[in-house]
Amino acid sequence: MTATQTTIAPAAITRRLTTAKAMAEGIATEMAMNPEVFYLGEDVGAYGGIFGSTGGLLEQFGPQRIIDTPISETAFIGLAIGAATEGMRPIAELMFADFMGVCFDQIYNHMAKIHFESGGAVKVPMVLTTAVGGGYSDAAQHSQCLWGLFAHVPGLKVVVPSTPYDAKGLMISAIRDDNPVVYMFHKGVMGLPWMAKNARATDVVPEGAYEVPIGKARIARPGTDCTVVTISLSVHHALDVADKLAAAGVADAEVIDLRSLVPLDRDAIWTSVSRTGRLVVVDEDYLSFGMSGEVVATIADRDPSVLRAPVQRVAVPDVPIPYAHGLEHVVLPNASRIEAAIRAVMGA
Amino acid sequence: MTATQTTIAPAAITRRLTTAKAMAEGIATEMAMNPEVFYLGEDVGAYGGIFGSTGGLLEQFGPQRIIDTPISETAFIGLAIGAATEGMRPIAELMFADFMGVCFDQIYNHMAKIHFESGGAVKVPMVLTTAVGGGYSDAAQHSQCLWGLFAHVPGLKVVVPSTPYDAKGLMISAIRDDNPVVYMFHKGVMGLPWMAKNARATDVVPEGAYEVPIGKARIARPGTDCTVVTISLSVHHALDVADKLAAAGVADAEVIDLRSLVPLDRDAIWTSVSRTGRLVVVDEDYLSFGMSGEVVATIADRDPSVLRAPVQRVAVPDVPIPYAHGLEHVVLPNASRIEAAIRAVMGA
Amino acid sequence: MTLTSVNPATISGQGLTDAKRLSMYRQMVLIRTFEEALLRDYHADKSPVWDIGAGLIPGEMHLAAGQEPVAVGICDHLTADDAVTATHRPHHLAIAHGMNLRKLAAEIFGRETGLGKGRGGHMHLFDPDTHFSCSGIIAEGYPPALGQAFAFSRRGTDRIAVAVTGEGAANQGAFHESLNLAAVWKLPVVFIVEDNDWGISVPRSASTSVPSNADRAAAYGIPGERVEDNAVEAVWEVAGRAIQRARDGGGPSLIEVHTLRLWGHFEGDAQGYRTDLEGVPDRDPIPTYESSLRAAGILDDAAVAEAKTDALAAVDDAIAFAKSSPVPDPTQATAYVFTDSSAEEARS
Amino acid sequence: MTLTSVNPATISGQGLTDAKRLSMYRQMVLIRTFEEALLRDYHADKSPVWDIGAGLIPGEMHLAAGQEPVAVGICDHLTADDAVTATHRPHHLAIAHGMNLRKLAAEIFGRETGLGKGRGGHMHLFDPDTHFSCSGIIAEGYPPALGQAFAFSRRGTDRIAVAVTGEGAANQGAFHESLNLAAVWKLPVVFIVEDNDWGISVPRSASTSVPSNADRAAAYGIPGERVEDNAVEAVWEVAGRAIQRARDGGGPSLIEVHTLRLWGHFEGDAQGYRTDLEGVPDRDPIPTYESSLRAAGILDDAAVAEAKTDALAAVDDAIAFAKSSPVPDPTQATAYVFTDSSAEEARS
Ligand SMILES: Cc1ncc(C[n+]2csc(CCOP(=O)(O)OP(=O)(O)O)c2C)c(N)n1
Ligand SMILES: Cc1ncc(C[n+]2csc(CCOP(=O)(O)OP(=O)(O)O)c2C)c(N)n1
Ligand SMILES: [Mg+2]
Ligand SMILES: [Mg+2]
């Protein structure tokens, strides 16, 4: 697998949506076509999802298919698993990924393993959606990414869209996938009216159904001098920095949006890094024992001699997310840390 | 920090204990000296711990300090946390690390973060013990190591002894540590009478109290040609293979027993690999997004040019642990896989 | 919300024909015969040094001898279209619910012809034909049962789910969440607690704050009954009502049966902690039921002999099938993690 | 195990002196005044485009207006040696339990002088002086409270722990496990459920299978009472009995108070889902209590004015202190993860 650039026939597309609306549209598209799809979670009905994941869906599909649950994540995620084994296609929302600790057993010992334990006899075609990320002072229990944990345990596909286009296409692919898919959406890419927005949080989104294949990275910005491998909100920070440093003549950085951690598009990482010889990984999850190490190891497994400089990992430095704005923003992978990392790999 | 080899005055030591007995002796040593220490968990009393962690302790300390709990991990681990914040020094046993999903919230959102969230005002001096590992056909929900998950979230020290000596000394250090320490003991190193034992599962253990410092790796076997970084039961497999390959003239491998994942003794890894230029990581946890990647990244962060060959990672290849013996033993990091990896980095 | 101790003397017995009584007896004999065969084969090849990981049946082995009345009394009311989720101790329920004995045996022997192609093992039985599943994690089998019930009711059928745990499990969070959610959504599920007085070595009195888990039904506004006698007809009567209620749209019920753990928690358990051992053999429910059916003229020597012969024939056939089946191909050890990594494709 | 609706008219009022009534009124006024000040400052600098992450107080803000009677009625029976654990909505309890107002305000403003040096934020208040703690994870504050109670009783004191959650939280597994464990071990803890009818947008009827969570006490064999009126004296009466029982070694109790969420779930919540908004202002418990104290001759215009002036002075002082305190030093962002990485050492 090598990374692809998404090409869309330009005539058709003028409509722009926020990531939140694109995600909800992906859900609605599949729900309209497939009566077995339903969505359940806390505050997904009248509220429309705390981070807008289900805006408008209750009105469209009613309370039988857009279902508010008690605050019982183990019970309702387990319910989704059981319904999936009977052939339904549930989508369960864990309001924040930070809450996985109250229900992770259902996720990694059941959702992830039943297909394997049954020797392939039982499928678990469901999606677990969950909000990730910080940057708005929600502190240590409501700001984590934790995708490294979900990606570490076998049996789960893990997708993490960064754009409206991918949010819809990956959602449709996730719902249609016969495997359990964890779909992690960063609050900062959703384009919420009440939170600081990334400029790319609203973008063109085709109408109708389309898939973005799970497991294929996207070259968000082609470049020749170094490779920045990243995911989710950090893609946008990386793009901003790359444009700035290209204009400044420091480096023409290639930015790779992994789009999914499982499957990990190792070929895309390899193809780029073996060409540029310089690697920066930007990861809003904790530094150690997570995504950033795995990306680095992907190169060292194949041929470390392609690396012309020490790699740079820009991640949360193994500290809980602090509340105070000034503390939080120095532990997040912000633009200045990314810039310093690119300069470091360039020896500039 | 660089790795140390443990040196013990030889005169004093003749007594040999299993790892299980050494672990229990470490607990008993501290309990005898400090009335604030108590141990709670499932079947830790009359049963003595399913894997022998508390053998004899009920008789010595009584049911007020060696406490059987209901099967309510969230409640009793949380209880330990609260007692620790009040200055007691609890040890809570999670029977299998595989069960972390029913109680991980207490572990990573509370035990790990309270000290930080309180700005240092509150300490959580407790130990969470838990059994890890497979090899005896206990299948997908009872054979996992999962230390990558515990090590990924900040605020927990994570120790994983491989020998009787370390099991006692690390236990004493863990109990005395003012931070929460996760103490992961592999069933295969415990020297249990009812399970296949590693030859080194019984070894000399000094009487009385001694500490093994947390965060310092151990050079289990010095060598010059390549570095095998590993932990827990795999240390013994690695040693066996290293001796065999040295005798065969293939390689004189250095084997590093990390002893703890957090803190990770990066200097010890670096010192060895920068000398040998060849790295094999052996990890009984899942391959991706875990310990093996982090060890590799430790080198690539500093200077990938020291690597004279692609690294080899011998881990569970992102598959749940299968039940059938013949399947399980090919996914575990067994001797033949380790041998192949050493041969590969040696180009032999 | 009532607590009922059912006295078999007062059982209405409507529908309890002689033929049904005989068939329930024969079912119990079949289950016991199967487990006795496992018991023999499990221990046969673990000597001279008893090693849990060795032999034709390695790993933990939780047998349900003594608990047959629960399984048979419930499953008589079910068809293969109804779902049953069980625990680490699942054989009695699997057999009573009609699981193919050959596939069950082959799974326990870790063979490619097993239910899970040898991947799952005895704690992880998933049978699409009988909608049977289980979990080795305490109480975590309840939540998926909700989802099966949900799917059944959404599809307008009168199929139901039966979810089973032990009394120790009733103190786990998933128990509570599942009962509440099922009650709020009026799901067609019947919750069963098998109270065998022990959770491994911990007696019920040390783990459970109420004398009867049926009392806990009050916490969810659903009917709760405790069956004091480990008698198949008492279970049949009480379960029948609850199952009919669920089929009729009346929502969930909770039933606790005071049953008996005739053997150890798992094989190899010396039960040194067990204070009630003396009376245990006399409480074996099969001879008890046999006597009462003899007294009622439903059984005679010939019928007893026939039951045993038939059971033995079926069990011998299943075990012979298992033993003669191929072990899984080790090159397929990583298959079945995802539907798209099934054996076919893994081979390519 | 009784369900009691306490009518304030029938309150025995023993010990409820006029001085105490006045002081409880003044406490409620202080809490409300504090939260009104937060409300102003929270919204003051988030315009023109309302951004949750902006301003002097960024992040989620859960205010407890309307729930003051619960906090004041309980905490009047406590000293600073007793423990209180609260939730994401903790201010009323923190203040009623005697937390230093300056440190509380400074934490909410993210200052170095705050309780947690700005690391924790408003959902993570840890105060060793008053043994106060909280958790932003639903129901997960209960388990640590068990441990505080455990430590208190082990040390032979009559100190107790009070653990508080909302009615939505009573459907989470940790609730169940905690009540059972506390009951089995007879821990000196009083469990409080604040029923404000809503869990974010989900009404109690959609989440909870019983009309009163006090009914759930029956599931643990402990006393349960529901206070129907959001009246400080009713809470005071019922809580007083439970607290005394706990101090006397009588074990845990469960109390549900039917209280009122006067404002949104968090600031910024438009409450479009809320069907009961119309009557809300009239149900504000402070004017209600004021009237009844006026009628009883305990309050007059002067005393009301004095209460408000004194509250305002204390709040102004605290907020001024917070605003004039330094923000944390960004170079210390990784301090306090471990005791050995406290600020001192991180600096070096
Ligand atoms: C969450 C969790 N905790 C602990 C265990 C270990 N364990 C397996 S069986 C068992 C005892 C179960 O007792 P009970 O529910 O009464 O069932 P029984 O074994 O008596 O049938 C325990 C503690 C587990 N499997 N899962
Ligand atoms: C385990 C978990 N699930 C979900 C949430 C998100 N959440 C925060 S507050 C809340 C509602 C809580 O309702 P309730 O317990 O009634 O307390 P209230 O907000 O009404 O005071 C939810 C769902 C959480 N913090 N933790
Ligand atoms: Mg039991
Ligand atoms: Mg509420």
Side-chain angles (χ1 to χ4, degrees):
Chain A
M1 234 181 311
T2 48
T4 49
Q5 286 189 65
T6 309
T7 42
I8 307 162
I13 301 166
T14 48
R15 197 183 54 141
R16 294 167 64 83
L17 295 182
T18 62
T19 304
K21 294 220 167 86
M23 176 177 168
E25 189 170 279
I27 298 163
T29 304
E30 287 303 290
M31 285 188 69
M33 289 194 291
N34 187 344
E36 299 292 353
V37 181
F38 64 99
Y39 200 107
L40 79 174
E42 293 151 18
D43 307 288
V44 301
Y47 202 105
I50 294 297
F51 298 104
S53 51
T54 54
L57 296 185
L58 177 67
E59 293 70 16
Q60 201 177 339
F61 298 102
Q64 290 295 303
R65 295 183 68 197
I66 303 293
I67 313 175
D68 277 333
T69 62
I71 311 173
S72 308
E73 287 84 358
T74 289
F76 76 73
I77 293 173
L79 185 147
I81 294 169
T85 65
E86 293 295 337
M88 298 192 79
R89 300 190 93 84
I91 309 170
E93 177 169 310
L94 174 62
M95 191 189 286
F96 288 69
D98 308 68
F99 308 156
M100 51 76 87
V102 303
C103 54
F104 202 47
D105 189 74
Q106 285 297 325
I107 296 170
Y108 83 112
N109 270 335
H110 296 84
M111 183 168 121
K113 289 179 183 158
I114 287 175
H115 181 70
F116 178 83
E117 291 170 331
S118 74
V122 178
K123 290 178 183 160
V124 188
M126 65 175 283
V127 182
L128 180 75
T129 56
T130 189
V132 299
Y136 62 104
S137 289
D138 218 357
Q141 295 180 336
H142 290 75
S143 304
Q144 301 168 95
C145 288
L146 296 177
W147 43 56
L149 298 184
F150 288 86
H152 182 57
V153 291
L156 305 173
K157 296 191 178 178
V158 179
V159 305
V160 194
S162 68
T163 65
Y165 180 88
D166 283 358
K168 179 173 172 184
L170 285 170
M171 176 56 78
I172 290 174
S173 297
I175 297 171
R176 292 180 181 176
D177 201 304
D178 275 347
N179 297 286
V181 179
V182 180
Y183 179 107
M184 308 183 88
F185 54 98
H186 196 296
K187 305 150 197 170
V189 305
M190 292 296 267
L192 301 168
W194 46 273
M195 194 181 284
K197 278 170 286 298
N198 185 277
R200 298 177 199 83
T202 302
D203 209 344
V204 287
V205 175
E207 309 206 37
Y210 64 91
E211 295 184 26
V212 170
I214 296 176
K216 270 188 124 38
R218 175 176 73 98
I219 297 176
R221 181 188 191 284
T224 53
D225 296 337
C226 66
T227 303
V228 181
V229 176
T230 185
I231 201 160
S232 193
L233 178 64
S234 300
V235 170
H236 303 292
H237 298 325
L239 286 172
D240 294 341
V241 173
D243 285 349
K244 174 181 158 188
L245 292 184
V250 174
D252 179 25
E254 181 146 302
V255 177
I256 295 186
D257 175 358
L258 288 173
R259 278 180 170 158
S260 68
L261 291 186
V262 182
L264 180 62
D265 193 346
R266 296 187 195 269
D267 286 343
I269 299 168
W270 170 254
T271 302
S272 179
V273 176
S274 63
R275 184 162 42 78
T276 64
R278 300 173 198 280
L279 172 61
V280 174
V281 188
V282 185
D283 180 8
E284 197 182 312
D285 197 0
Y286 302 118
L287 175 71
S288 297
F289 305 94
M291 170 187 131
S292 65
E294 190 60 29
V295 170
V296 172
T298 297
I299 303 302
D301 284 349
R302 298 202 185 180
D303 186 359
S305 75
V306 302
L307 292 170
R308 283 177 250 161
V311 301
Q312 289 284 328
R313 296 192 282 159
V314 183
V316 176
D318 296 336
V319 60
I321 309 292
Y323 165 62
H325 185 90
L327 295 174
E328 183 183 19
H329 282 263
V330 299
V331 308
L332 293 178
N334 58 26
S336 72
R337 291 178 62 205
I338 297 170
E339 176 172 340
I342 293 178
R343 288 183 181 273
V345 294
M346 297 308 301
Chain B
M1 232 180 318
T2 48
T4 50
Q5 286 190 64
T6 310
T7 43
I8 308 163
I13 302 166
T14 50
R15 197 184 54 140
R16 294 167 63 83
L17 295 183
T18 62
T19 304
K21 293 218 167 85
M23 176 177 168
E25 189 169 279
I27 299 163
T29 306
E30 287 303 289
M31 286 189 69
M33 290 194 290
N34 186 345
E36 299 292 353
V37 181
F38 65 98
Y39 199 107
L40 79 172
E42 293 151 17
D43 307 287
V44 302
Y47 202 105
I50 294 297
F51 298 104
S53 51
T54 55
L57 296 185
L58 178 66
E59 294 70 16
Q60 202 177 340
F61 297 103
Q64 290 295 302
R65 295 184 67 197
I66 304 293
I67 313 175
D68 277 333
T69 63
I71 311 173
S72 309
E73 287 84 358
T74 290
F76 76 73
I77 293 173
L79 185 147
I81 295 168
T85 65
E86 293 295 336
M88 298 191 79
R89 299 190 94 84
I91 310 170
E93 178 170 309
L94 174 63
M95 190 188 287
F96 288 68
D98 308 68
F99 308 157
M100 51 77 85
V102 303
C103 55
F104 201 48
D105 190 73
Q106 285 297 323
I107 296 169
Y108 84 112
N109 270 335
H110 295 84
M111 183 167 120
K113 289 180 183 158
I114 287 175
H115 181 69
F116 177 82
E117 291 169 330
S118 75
V122 178
K123 289 178 182 157
V124 188
M126 65 174 282
V127 182
L128 180 76
T129 57
T130 189
V132 298
Y136 62 103
S137 290
D138 219 357
Q141 295 180 335
H142 290 75
S143 304
Q144 301 169 94
C145 288
L146 295 179
W147 42 56
L149 298 185
F150 287 87
H152 182 58
V153 291
L156 306 172
K157 295 190 179 180
V158 179
V159 306
V160 194
S162 67
T163 66
Y165 179 87
D166 283 358
K168 180 173 173 183
L170 284 171
M171 176 56 77
I172 291 174
S173 297
I175 297 171
R176 293 179 182 177
D177 201 303
D178 276 345
N179 297 287
V181 179
V182 180
Y183 179 106
M184 308 183 89
F185 54 99
H186 197 295
K187 304 150 197 170
V189 305
M190 293 294 269
L192 300 170
W194 45 274
M195 194 181 282
K197 279 170 283 298
N198 186 277
R200 299 178 198 82
T202 303
D203 208 343
V204 288
V205 175
E207 308 206 36
Y210 64 91
E211 295 184 26
V212 170
I214 296 176
K216 271 187 123 41
R218 176 177 74 98
I219 297 175
R221 180 186 193 285
T224 52
D225 297 337
C226 65
T227 303
V228 181
V229 176
T230 184
I231 201 159
S232 192
L233 178 65
S234 299
V235 170
H236 304 293
H237 298 326
L239 287 172
D240 295 342
V241 173
D243 286 348
K244 174 182 159 189
L245 292 185
V250 175
D252 179 24
E254 180 145 301
V255 177
I256 296 187
D257 176 358
L258 287 173
R259 278 180 171 157
S260 68
L261 291 187
V262 182
L264 179 62
D265 193 347
R266 297 188 194 268
D267 286 344
I269 299 168
W270 170 253
T271 302
S272 180
V273 176
S274 62
R275 184 161 44 76
T276 64
R278 299 172 199 280
L279 172 60
V280 174
V281 188
V282 186
D283 180 7
E284 198 183 312
D285 196 359
Y286 302 117
L287 175 71
S288 297
F289 305 94
M291 170 186 130
S292 66
E294 190 59 30
V295 169
V296 172
T298 297
I299 303 303
D301 284 349
R302 298 202 186 180
D303 185 0
S305 75
V306 302
L307 292 169
R308 282 177 251 160
V311 301
Q312 289 284 329
R313 296 193 281 159
V314 183
V316 176
D318 297 335
V319 60
I321 310 292
Y323 165 64
H325 185 90
L327 296 174
E328 181 182 20
H329 282 264
V330 299
V331 308
L332 292 177
N334 58 26
S336 71
R337 291 178 62 203
I338 298 171
E339 177 173 338
I342 293 179
R343 287 183 182 273
V345 293
M346 296 308 300
Chain C
M1 241 177 294
T2 53
L3 160 59
T4 312
S5 173
V6 176
N7 185 329
T10 69
I11 283 182
S12 66
Q14 239 203 328
L16 252 189
T17 59
D18 287 357
K20 190 173 285 298
R21 289 187 152 106
L22 178 61
S23 123
M24 294 205 298
Y25 169 76
R26 288 171 57 92
Q27 276 280 91
M28 297 208 294
V29 170
L30 175 65
I31 294 168
R32 180 69 58 84
T33 305
F34 183 78
E35 292 209 315
E36 282 169 346
L38 290 187
L39 191 66
R40 270 191 306 276
D41 274 326
Y42 184 80
H43 289 286
D45 47 9
K46 289 194 171 55
S47 47
V49 185
W50 200 87
D51 173 2
I52 190 175
L56 279 181
I57 310 178
E60 284 186 65
M61 177 52 58
H62 311 83
L63 298 175
Q67 304 186 188
E68 297 89 349
V70 187
V72 172
I74 292 164
C75 293
D76 183 70
H77 300 284
L78 306 178
T79 77
D81 282 342
D82 297 312
V84 174
T85 70
T87 68
H88 57 286
R89 198 182 300 290
H91 303 154
H92 56 323
L93 291 153
I95 296 171
H97 193 43
M99 186 181 285
N100 180 300
L101 218 53
R102 286 181 159 201
K103 287 191 188 177
L104 169 61
E107 186 60 26
I108 296 170
F109 280 79
R111 303 303 165 112
E112 187 69 20
T113 53
L115 266 184
K117 298 190 165 46
R119 271 73 180 171
H122 107 105
M123 286 189 274
H124 310 114
L125 305 170
F126 294 90
D127 182 14
D129 291 342
T130 59
H131 301 271
F132 188 91
S133 61
C134 43
S135 172
I137 310 296
I138 287 304
E140 296 280 330
Y142 267 19
L146 305 182
Q148 295 178 293
F150 179 91
F152 296 159
S153 91
R154 276 305 161 90
R155 288 169 175 168
T157 72
D158 71 347
R159 297 161 61 189
I160 68 142
V162 172
V164 183
T165 68
E167 92 294 340
N171 301 311
Q172 180 71 222
F175 174 89
H176 173 67
E177 294 191 11
S178 300
L179 268 77
N180 181 63
L181 187 57
V184 175
W185 292 3
K186 272 208 160 201
L187 295 174
V189 52
V190 176
F191 298 104
I192 307 288
V193 176
E194 292 185 287
D195 174 15
N196 60 11
D197 293 326
W198 295 91
I200 310 186
S201 71
V202 179
R204 183 195 171 97
S205 60
S207 69
T208 307
S209 49
V210 277
S212 164
N213 274 304
D215 291 356
R216 293 183 165 172
Y220 313 102
I222 63 172
E225 294 196 52
R226 178 167 162 101
V227 179
E228 256 316 327
D229 326 279
N230 191 24
V232 66
E233 296 190 8
V235 175
W236 184 88
E237 166 98 4
V238 171
R241 281 200 297 271
I243 289 167
Q244 196 54 51
R245 189 183 302 112
R247 286 203 203 288
D248 294 346
S253 311
L254 173 63
I255 297 171
E256 180 164 69
V257 182
H258 190 194
T259 184
L260 175 72
R261 204 183 79 197
L262 197 56
W263 301 339
H265 169 73
F266 38 30
E267 287 314 303
D269 174 7
Q271 302 201 74
Y273 54 82
R274 196 159 165 184
T275 47
D276 64 344
L277 267 185
E278 209 176 325
V280 160
D282 293 344
R283 291 167 55 203
D284 186 337
I286 295 184
T288 310
Y289 194 45
E290 189 182 309
S291 316
S292 78
L293 291 191
R294 277 180 190 270
I298 295 166
L299 268 184
D300 58 15
D301 285 352
V304 168
E306 192 187 334
K308 291 188 176 168
T309 314
D310 290 354
L312 215 52
V315 168
D316 281 350
D317 169 75
I319 305 258
F321 172 81
K323 288 182 176 171
S324 66
S325 289
V327 296
D329 174 359
T331 68
Q332 295 303 305
T334 59
Y336 306 118
V337 179
F338 293 114
T339 56
D340 20 31
S341 70
S342 63
E344 279 318 295
E345 289 162 37
R347 229 164 246 138
S348 74
Chain D
M1 241 178 294
T2 52
L3 159 60
T4 312
S5 171
V6 177
N7 184 330
T10 71
I11 284 181
S12 67
Q14 238 203 330
L16 250 190
T17 59
D18 288 357
K20 189 173 285 298
R21 291 188 150 105
L22 178 60
S23 121
M24 294 206 298
Y25 169 76
R26 288 173 55 92
Q27 277 279 90
M28 297 208 294
V29 169
L30 174 65
I31 294 167
R32 180 68 59 85
T33 305
F34 184 79
E35 292 209 314
E36 282 169 345
L38 290 186
L39 191 67
R40 269 192 305 277
D41 274 328
Y42 184 80
H43 289 285
D45 47 8
K46 288 193 173 54
S47 45
V49 185
W50 200 87
D51 172 2
I52 189 175
L56 279 180
I57 310 178
E60 284 186 65
M61 177 51 59
H62 311 84
L63 298 175
Q67 305 187 188
E68 298 89 349
V70 187
V72 172
I74 292 163
C75 293
D76 184 69
H77 300 284
L78 307 178
T79 77
D81 283 343
D82 296 312
V84 174
T85 69
T87 68
H88 56 287
R89 197 183 301 291
H91 304 152
H92 56 324
L93 291 153
I95 295 170
H97 194 42
M99 185 181 285
N100 180 301
L101 218 55
R102 287 182 158 198
K103 288 192 188 176
L104 170 60
E107 187 59 25
I108 295 170
F109 281 81
R111 303 304 165 112
E112 187 70 21
T113 53
L115 266 184
K117 297 190 164 52
R119 271 73 179 170
H122 106 106
M123 284 189 276
H124 310 115
L125 305 170
F126 295 90
D127 183 13
D129 292 342
T130 59
H131 302 271
F132 188 92
S133 61
C134 43
S135 172
I137 310 296
I138 287 305
E140 296 280 329
Y142 267 20
L146 305 181
Q148 295 177 293
F150 179 92
F152 296 159
S153 92
R154 277 304 161 89
R155 288 168 173 166
T157 72
D158 70 348
R159 296 161 62 188
I160 68 140
V162 172
V164 182
T165 68
E167 92 294 338
N171 301 312
Q172 180 70 221
F175 173 89
H176 173 69
E177 294 191 11
S178 299
L179 267 78
N180 181 62
L181 188 58
V184 175
W185 292 4
K186 271 208 160 203
L187 296 174
V189 52
V190 176
F191 297 103
I192 307 288
V193 176
E194 293 184 287
D195 174 15
N196 61 10
D197 294 324
W198 295 91
I200 310 186
S201 71
V202 180
R204 183 198 171 94
S205 59
S207 70
T208 308
S209 49
V210 276
S212 165
N213 274 303
D215 291 354
R216 293 183 166 173
Y220 315 102
I222 62 171
E225 295 196 51
R226 177 168 161 101
V227 180
E228 256 316 328
D229 326 280
N230 191 25
V232 67
E233 296 190 7
V235 174
W236 184 88
E237 166 99 2
V238 171
R241 282 199 297 270
I243 289 168
Q244 196 55 49
R245 188 183 303 115
R247 286 203 204 287
D248 293 346
S253 312
L254 173 63
I255 297 170
E256 180 165 69
V257 182
H258 190 195
T259 185
L260 175 71
R261 205 183 79 197
L262 197 56
W263 301 338
H265 170 73
F266 38 30
E267 288 313 305
D269 175 8
Q271 301 200 76
Y273 54 81
R274 198 159 164 183
T275 47
D276 64 344
L277 267 185
E278 209 176 325
V280 161
D282 293 343
R283 292 167 56 203
D284 186 337
I286 297 186
T288 309
Y289 195 45
E290 190 182 307
S291 314
S292 79
L293 291 191
R294 278 180 189 269
I298 295 165
L299 268 185
D300 57 15
D301 285 354
V304 168
E306 193 186 334
K308 292 189 175 167
T309 314
D310 289 354
L312 214 52
V315 168
D316 281 350
D317 169 76
I319 304 260
F321 172 81
K323 288 182 176 171
S324 66
S325 289
V327 297
D329 174 358
T331 69
Q332 296 303 303
T334 60
Y336 306 117
V337 179
F338 293 115
T339 58
D340 19 32
S341 69
S342 63
E344 279 317 294
E345 289 161 37
R347 229 164 246 138
S348 72

